[in-house]
Amino acid sequence: MDRTRRSDVNLRYGLSVERSNVISTFDRYSVPDGTPFVADFDGQLDRVRSLNAYLLEAARQRAYSRDTLLNKHARPLVGLLEHVRVRDSTADLVDATREDLVGYRDKRVILLTPGSWNNELSAISNFFHYAMARGWIDTDPIPRWGAAGRVTIRDRTTHTRRVKFLTEAQARRFLDFGLRGDGSPREEFPAYPERDYALGLTFVSTGLRRVEAA
């Protein structure tokens, strides 16, 4: 939570909580700014305790950026919890079963690309690995097979990415404006424009791709 912005205390579904009380509670438990937290519809936290503990520990360990922790970890985990609660409205995330994971996979792969689903699955796997290490669960519900523990709900579709090279106009703009800083305000002017320009020429002459330019 960023204390400078009221909008970061996003209390939906008609909940009414004093912002000062939220901040004082976070301060008391040394919760880092930007830590996502989840509450039930009635504002209770007991049935999301494991999820919040995982997010808090990741924030304290600085394992991910604020946006990554929120969008790449908290949101997929909340999505899985909502799926589990179709079966059991009182379930915590640690109550997820192998069947829940398979069902969630079947639902998500309709909406996501294979790479996006695998990213979500990675975040979900991290949570259950952490839950096992903390002793919250005895068995990892992620479906696995074989001596290597191959995750069977991972999408194994192979995609060949098409390499996109810069056009001549894009390469010139990259060199003149992106590296040498032509036309840039003084405060944004690069410290070593000719050095950067010379390095850029090397990149362009050896087949600069868009991703490398970025």
Side-chain angles (χ1 to χ4, degrees), residues 9-47:
V9 184
N10 185 15
L11 301 172
R12 298 183 296 171
Y13 312 115
L15 299 179
S16 178
V17 179
E18 289 292 333
R19 182 172 183 271
S20 60
N21 293 340
V22 173
I23 292 176
S24 63
T25 300
F26 286 177
D27 285 341
R28 186 164 64 252
Y29 290 101
S30 301
V31 177
D33 285 352
T35 304
F37 70 99
V38 182
D40 271 324
F41 290 105
D42 57 1
Q44 298 301 310
L45 300 174
D46 288 345
R47 290 175 295 176

Side-chain angles (χ1 to χ4, degrees), residues 3 42 61 79-80 142 156-157 161 179 191 194-195 205:
R3 296 182 178 85
D42 57 1
Q61 295 283 351
L80 174 59
I142 301 292
R156 300 189 179 278
T157 304
R161 297 182 62 181
L179 294 183
E194 296 306 326
R195 179 205 64 180
S205 65

